[in-house]
């Protein structure tokens, strides 16, 4: 990937000029406006709900509650969770399972009338005792018998306890919310019994399946359009109750319905990274060989769904260690179900693991990088497989150089810049590199355009740009002549955009479809007057034209080929999926984040002075969008490390800081200097381009890098995220 490795984001112009149409922006004839009214208790039953005033308010078309809902057919079918996508059947009965759970849908002819009518709804409840505090509910923990839930042991169980040097600590991360700029939104409409949704989804096919399950209709009857997304970070991986509510409403009034969540509802109704308590036990020899590692996690879920993620998984393979134990439990709380959030599982797990590694390195009086190098895993000991490729050491080297690691002193608090204490820290990240079956259709048209079609979404990482670059690279057709059609049902089936798998999955399918297009073109050329009687093996395809390798000067462009054959278009469609060979390898991306912090010991203020994020993601398809992903992921890690926490008032089970004034995220002023480095070496196994995943490793390892840097600056070890200034000033946190 060379000529095209730096093309501009192909949807950039549309996005900055406003011509990109997001779901709620579709002009829809006769659209009505809807909103959800949420419960004001966290658990119990609705005793009475007064909707009369709202129904009589001007412009109101309907008010729907559990009392008058036409229940979707799927509600009565045996519960098939995988089919429902979201097992909270909205308005099914009078049960309240979490604070702000939708209890009524109000639809009116204008936005203002809808808002006013919603304010008139009053409910009475039969309250029950709720639990939203994970620390108080740990006795309700349960072990789920799945790959993620099962205990894992290699060597001696809890073998770390027998080591010469041992550390044992507990780490917590709070609930964090996705809150992309674009609010969750939908325009729902029905054509007879066939729904169509303009909605914020990371997976067109997944949304179709969920909606089909809820309404008991064939998947083919559901159309979904989610062409542009203003960020999602994982919240678009589920079909949420608001989407079903809008569909129920649109069906009832036989009109299209638009529903956009309020910002406050983004904190309560569309998932979040789960609050998680982790215990680490690490043991090593005096010269720094890791001999035992135990990683235990207890995470929240909801009362109605078991949500799990790979929180402890990284600990099983990232270091060379003979005795490894992991345990993972979940605790049902009275909240909405959590959902994957960028670097799901590993971002949480890496905070505990990489903090603990730093703590053990400190106890051994060893440089943290040196400690990691001594425990470098030459192969994946969990799966007992070789790595497909691993350039983690290159990431360490590049980061040390760029951050100025040589200026770091092992003894905390020993480097100063004026009144600021200086600290250096690092954290390792990783994420599985997956490839999901994907079909892409490549169409070459008479006007010289190459159209690439796939139903996959692009929530912002640059999927359309990647597809363009790969298509251009293979066919030689210039990027400006390539048109991407994506994010809609009816197109060839793409995967859900998630798990850092999109480039590997969709890129491979673009690769395969374009190559099929070329071989079809060559076949056509040898069947007719162009290269009649020339064996295909004597033909070459380059820069959009066919020529003979035998020296004849004749060159036939794809356009002339179509003209000569009186064709309107040449089409190639192919499903692409992972190879059997790839299953013999362990395929992971790796990253290392380096951070230099400045801490004011009198004020507790932490400044992120310099961030260097280095990654082995295989081949880099596009330097700009990849760097963008890495910058964004690292900034997400700064939020996780220093700012983000959804605070719950447990007396009422409701969030306190459900707005952007109180829920802090980093802004430009919070980052002084940020760099990205990619090893950019092709993975020989992963897929035809040699790419691995990027989106998640961009965040995994960042929060512990900050915690480790803060420790190096101050000698204060903060094990409860976020690292706010009170924790720096609080004397009792200084126990190390
Ligand atoms: Mo990502 S958490 O797979 O959107």
């Amino acid at each position: 990937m060379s000529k095209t490795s730096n093309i501009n984001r192909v949807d950039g112009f549309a996005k900055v000029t406003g011509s990109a149409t997001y779901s709620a922006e579709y002009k829809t004839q006769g659209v009505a406006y809807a909103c959800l009214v949420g419960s004001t208790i966290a658990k119990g039953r609705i005793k009475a709900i007064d909707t009369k005033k709202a129904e009589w308010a001007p412009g109101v078309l309907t008010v729907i509650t559990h009392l008058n809902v036409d229940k979707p057919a799927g509600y009565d079918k045996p519960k098939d969770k995988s089919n429902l996508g979201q097992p909270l059947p909205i308005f099914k009965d009078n049960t309240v399972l979490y604070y702000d759970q939708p209890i009524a849908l109000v639809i009116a002819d204008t936005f203002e009338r809808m808002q006013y009518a919603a304010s008139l709804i009053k409910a009475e409840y039969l309250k029950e005792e709720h639990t939203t505090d994970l620390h108080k509910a740990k006795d309700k923990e349960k072990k789920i018998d799945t790959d993620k839930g099962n205990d894992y042991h290699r060597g001696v169980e809890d073998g770390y306890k027998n080591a010469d040097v041992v550390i044992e600590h507990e780490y917590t991360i709070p609930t964090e919310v996705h809150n992309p700029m674009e609010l969750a939104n939908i325009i729902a409409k029905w054509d007879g019994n066939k729904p169509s949704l303009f909605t914020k989804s990371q997976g067109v096919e997944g949304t179709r399946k969920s909606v089909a399950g809820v309404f008991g209709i064939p998947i083919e009857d559901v159309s979904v359009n989610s062409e542009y997304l203003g960020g999602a970070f994982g919240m678009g991986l589920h079909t949420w109750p608001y989407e079903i509510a809008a569909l129920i409403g649109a069906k009832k009034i036989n009109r299209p319905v638009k529903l956009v969540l309020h910002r406050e509802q983004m904190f309560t109704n569309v998932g979040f990274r789960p609050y998680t308590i982790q215990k680490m036990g690490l043991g090593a020899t005096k010269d720094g060989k890791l001999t035992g590692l135990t990683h235990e996690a207890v995470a929240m879920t909801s009362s109605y769904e078991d949500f799990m993620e790979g929180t402890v998984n990284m600990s099983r393979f990232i270091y060379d260690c003979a005795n490894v134990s992991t345990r993972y439990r979940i605790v049902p709380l009275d909240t909405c179900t959590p959902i994957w959030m960028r670097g799901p599982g590993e971002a949480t797990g890496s905070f505990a693991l990489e903090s603990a590694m730093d703590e053990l390195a400190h106890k051994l009086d060893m440089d943290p990088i040196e400690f990691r190098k001594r425990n470098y895993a030459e192969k994946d000991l969990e799966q007992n497989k070789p790595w497909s490729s691993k350039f983690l050491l290159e990431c360490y080297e590049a980061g040390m150089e760029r951050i100025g690691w040589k200026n770091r002193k092992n003894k905390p608090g020993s480097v100063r810049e004026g009144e600021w204490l200086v600290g250096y820290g690092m954290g390792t990240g990783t994420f599985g590199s997956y490839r999901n079956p994907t079909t892409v259709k490549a169409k070459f048209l008479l006007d010289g355009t190459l159209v690439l079609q796939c139903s996959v979404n692009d929530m912002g990482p640059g999927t359309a740009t990647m597809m363009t670059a790969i298509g251009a690279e293979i066919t030689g057709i210039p990027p400006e002549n390539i048109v991407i059609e994506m994010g809609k049902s009816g197109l060839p089936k793409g995967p859900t955009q998630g798990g850092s798998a999109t480039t590997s999955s969709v890129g491979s399918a673009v690769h395969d479809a374009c190559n099929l297009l070329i071989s079809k073109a060559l076949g056509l050329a040898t069947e007719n007057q162009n290269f009649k009687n020339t064996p295909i093996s004597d033909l070459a395809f380059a820069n959009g034209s066919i020529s003979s390798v035998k020296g004849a000067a004749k060159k036939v462009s794809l356009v002339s080929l179509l003209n000569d054959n009186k064709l309107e278009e040449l089409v190639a469609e192919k499903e692409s999926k992972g190879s059997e060979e790839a299953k013999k390898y362990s395929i992971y991306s790796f990253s290392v984040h380096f951070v230099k912090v400045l801490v004011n010991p009198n004020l507790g203020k932490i400044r992120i002075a310099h961030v260097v994020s280095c990654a082995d993601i295989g081949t880099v398809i596009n330097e700009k969008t990849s760097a963008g992903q890495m910058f964004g992921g690292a900034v997400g890690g700064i939020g996780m490390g220093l700012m983000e926490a959804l605070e719950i008032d447990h007396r009422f089970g409701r969030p306190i800081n459900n707005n952007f004034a109180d829920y802090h995220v980093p802004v430009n002023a919070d980052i002084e200097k940020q760099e990205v480095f990619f090893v950019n070496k092709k993975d020989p196994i992963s897929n035809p381009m040699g790419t691995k995943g990027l989106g998640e490793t961009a965040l995994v390892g960042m929060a512990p890098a900050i915690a480790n840097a803060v420790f190096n600056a101050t000698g204060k070890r903060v094990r409860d995220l976020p690292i706010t200034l009170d924790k720096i000033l609080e004397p009792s946190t200084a126990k190390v």
Side-chain angles (χ1 to χ4, degrees):
M1 295 294 148
S2 48
K3 297 183 291 289
T4 54
S5 64
N6 225 2
I7 63 169
N8 288 333
R9 185 178 278 271
V10 298
D11 48 359
F13 186 81
K15 283 184 167 175
V16 299
T17 55
S19 63
T21 310
Y22 295 82
S23 322
E25 295 179 328
Y26 277 88
K27 296 262 176 294
T28 313
Q29 194 69 36
V31 74
Y33 297 82
C35 75
L36 291 165
V37 177
S39 73
T40 55
I41 62 162
K43 191 180 179 186
R45 278 174 297 143
I46 303 164
K47 186 175 156 203
I49 181 159
D50 180 4
T51 57
K52 279 283 169 294
K53 279 191 188 133
E55 284 162 30
W56 295 338
V60 170
L61 299 166
T62 191
V63 177
I64 297 173
T65 68
H66 68 282
L67 295 171
N68 66 346
V69 67
D70 287 330
K71 285 193 189 105
Y75 279 15
D76 299 325
K77 295 215 174 114
K79 206 168 180 183
D80 176 355
K81 285 191 181 176
S82 64
N83 232 5
L84 279 179
Q86 163 55 259
L88 180 82
I90 187 164
F91 308 137
K92 188 171 186 199
D93 51 35
N94 69 343
T95 345
V96 172
L97 299 173
Y98 64 87
Y99 171 81
D100 207 23
Q101 175 191 314
I103 57 166
L105 177 81
V106 180
I107 310 180
D109 58 353
T110 70
F111 178 81
E112 291 77 7
R113 287 168 148 185
M114 168 272 284
Q115 285 292 121
Y116 174 66
S119 73
L120 303 174
I121 291 183
K122 297 280 174 283
E124 280 176 57
Y125 302 92
L126 295 165
K127 264 199 232 176
E128 288 165 35
E129 204 176 319
H130 63 262
T131 314
T132 50
D133 186 346
L134 182 61
H135 293 275
K136 296 217 169 107
K138 274 176 83 178
D139 56 322
K140 294 202 194 105
E141 68 173 42
K142 51 184 185 177
K143 178 166 176 276
I144 307 291
D145 189 22
T146 60
D147 277 355
K148 282 196 182 100
N150 286 331
D151 292 353
Y152 170 84
H153 298 293
R154 177 164 82 229
V156 180
E157 187 168 345
D158 296 323
Y160 77 93
K161 290 181 176 165
N162 311 323
D164 297 342
V165 187
V166 170
I167 59 138
E168 274 178 331
H169 293 294
E170 188 173 292
Y171 304 83
T172 60
I173 74 135
T175 300
E176 296 164 3
V177 287
H178 307 74
N179 262 300
M181 289 307 289
E182 181 203 24
L183 299 158
N185 66 85
I186 181 173
I187 295 175
K189 54 181 184 177
W190 290 83
D191 179 9
N193 220 16
K194 297 182 179 176
S196 50
L197 300 72
F198 295 81
T199 191
K200 185 183 181 82
S201 164
Q202 284 173 246
V204 163
E205 306 301 340
T207 301
R208 293 177 85 192
K209 192 174 171 209
S210 302
V211 170
V214 172
F215 289 94
I217 51 177
I219 292 180
E220 298 70 43
D221 289 354
V222 183
S223 51
V224 173
N225 181 320
S226 195
E227 202 181 348
Y228 288 99
L229 286 93
F233 314 112
M235 59 144 287
L237 293 168
H238 233 349
T239 300
W240 298 103
Y242 81 89
E243 294 171 288
I244 304 303
L247 282 161
I248 291 173
K251 192 159 202 210
K252 177 163 183 195
I253 63 165
N254 198 21
R255 255 173 92 164
V257 163
K258 183 195 288 204
L259 195 166
V260 182
L261 290 197
H262 299 169
R263 183 58 73 183
E264 295 80 11
Q265 293 172 322
M266 297 290 287
F267 290 78
T268 47
N269 270 301
V270 283
F272 37 74
R273 193 192 298 285
Y275 199 113
T276 306
I277 303 167
Q278 299 176 79
K279 271 192 194 155
M280 300 298 307
L282 264 59
T285 61
K286 288 199 182 69
D287 57 358
K289 181 72 202 77
L290 210 50
T291 56
L293 194 166
T294 292
H295 187 166
E296 297 176 317
V298 179
M300 70 183 289
T301 185
S302 70
S303 62
Y304 55 93
E305 190 178 6
D306 293 336
F307 174 78
M308 307 185 74
E309 53 184 8
T311 307
V312 296
N313 296 18
M314 174 179 171
S315 289
R316 300 174 186 166
F317 62 80
I318 193 77
Y319 295 114
D320 179 275
C321 181
N323 306 301
V324 175
S325 298
T326 68
R327 300 178 187 90
Y328 179 72
R329 304 287 183 270
I330 52 174
V331 175
L333 297 180
D334 299 311
T335 68
C336 168
T337 307
I339 186 69
W340 300 284
M341 181 164 158
R342 200 170 195 170
E346 275 78 357
T348 301
S350 71
F351 170 61
L353 174 63
E354 289 295 282
S355 294
M357 285 293 285
D358 199 72
E359 301 212 42
L360 186 49
H362 179 72
K363 197 161 181 181
L364 293 161
D365 195 23
M366 190 174 284
D367 178 278
I369 304 256
E370 178 56 29
F371 180 44
R372 284 167 175 82
K373 284 185 185 166
R374 285 192 196 184
N375 295 290
Y376 179 84
E378 295 287 354
K379 66 170 189 172
D380 177 344
L381 291 174
E382 181 192 9
Q383 298 183 57
N384 195 25
K385 286 179 187 174
W387 307 111
S388 60
S389 64
K390 183 181 181 187
F391 299 104
L392 182 57
L393 295 175
E394 284 80 350
C395 293
Y396 288 142
E397 295 307 323
M400 286 166 80
E401 170 73 26
R402 284 165 176 75
I403 201 80
W405 193 256
K406 62 179 186 313
N407 300 322
R408 180 187 181 277
K409 302 269 179 288
N410 246 358
K411 187 173 169 349
S414 46
V415 183
R416 272 185 181 264
E417 282 177 19
E419 61 178 332
W420 297 88
L421 292 167
V422 180
Y424 296 85
M426 51 75 60
T428 311
T430 186
F431 205 83
S433 191
Y434 307 102
R435 179 174 167 189
N436 301 313
T438 303
T439 305
V440 161
K441 188 191 270 187
K443 281 201 292 191
F444 186 77
L445 309 181
L446 259 184
D447 65 359
T449 306
L450 174 68
V451 181
L452 297 172
Q453 296 179 321
C454 182
S455 70
V456 71
N457 303 86
D458 185 351
M459 69 170 145
T463 303
T465 310
M466 167 280 289
M467 292 170 72
T468 304
I470 294 174
E473 190 72 27
I474 289 168
T475 60
I477 294 165
E480 55 275 19
N481 291 359
I482 297 179
V483 172
I484 305 295
E485 292 176 6
M486 67 192 311
K488 286 180 223 177
S489 50
L491 296 171
K493 278 192 183 137
T496 292
Q497 176 156 77
S500 299
T502 313
T503 294
S504 289
S505 311
V506 181
S508 299
V510 170
H511 173 278
D512 290 358
C514 287
N515 278 320
L516 182 62
L517 188 76
I518 291 170
S519 52
K520 281 196 170 181
L522 295 178
L524 197 58
T526 56
E527 276 168 23
N528 63 52
Q529 65 276 23
N530 298 118
F531 290 100
K532 202 159 183 133
N533 302 325
T534 312
I536 286 187
S537 55
D538 285 356
L539 292 183
F541 185 92
N543 295 324
S545 295
I546 302 169
S547 56
S548 166
V549 291
K550 288 283 164 69
K554 189 161 68 168
K555 219 177 194 187
V556 176
S557 72
L558 276 181
V559 174
S560 348
L561 186 73
L562 289 187
N563 276 322
D564 294 351
N565 288 279
K566 303 197 169 36
L567 292 173
E568 300 274 309
E569 59 182 27
L570 189 62
V571 180
E573 179 170 330
K574 194 151 194 263
E575 185 187 308
S576 170
K577 53 187 172 195
S579 66
E580 282 305 307
E581 179 68 8
K583 291 183 186 153
K584 298 182 196 152
Y585 295 85
S586 176
I587 312 180
Y588 282 92
S589 291
F590 299 96
S591 64
V592 189
H593 295 278
F594 285 82
V595 176
K596 177 186 174 187
V597 296
L598 303 177
V599 182
N600 185 311
N602 300 315
L603 301 173
K605 176 158 173 72
I606 302 169
R607 279 168 56 196
I608 302 288
H610 193 178
V611 174
V612 183
S613 299
C614 306
D616 162 21
I617 56 161
T619 305
V620 174
I621 297 289
N622 186 293
E623 289 161 17
K624 288 180 188 169
T625 54
S626 298
Q629 278 282 286
M630 203 72 193
F631 282 132
V635 170
I638 294 172
M640 186 176 186
L642 298 183
M643 298 165 193
E644 293 186 54
L646 185 66
E647 302 290 352
I648 307 289
D649 184 335
H650 294 299
R651 293 172 302 168
F652 308 106
R654 71 180 185 216
I656 301 164
N657 55 344
N658 52 353
N659 56 72
F660 275 152
D662 298 317
Y663 184 94
H664 290 180
V665 292
V667 297
N668 284 349
D670 293 311
I671 305 114
E672 299 179 25
K673 185 177 176 192
Q674 194 179 10
E675 288 178 76
V676 161
F677 168 83
F678 293 114
V679 178
N680 197 6
K681 284 191 185 156
K682 182 176 176 169
D683 184 292
I685 304 297
S686 59
N687 58 54
M689 299 85 61
T691 60
K692 299 194 280 187
L694 166 57
E696 329 286 342
T697 42
L699 188 145
V700 179
M702 183 62 189
I706 297 170
N708 297 340
V710 167
F711 173 75
N712 184 242
T714 63
K716 296 200 175 178
R717 176 61 65 178
V718 181
R719 303 190 184 98
D720 307 318
L721 290 181
I723 308 167
T724 44
L725 53 80
D726 51 307
K727 294 173 190 170
I728 299 300
L729 296 174
E730 168 65 51
S732 64
T733 48
K735 39 181 198 293
V736 282

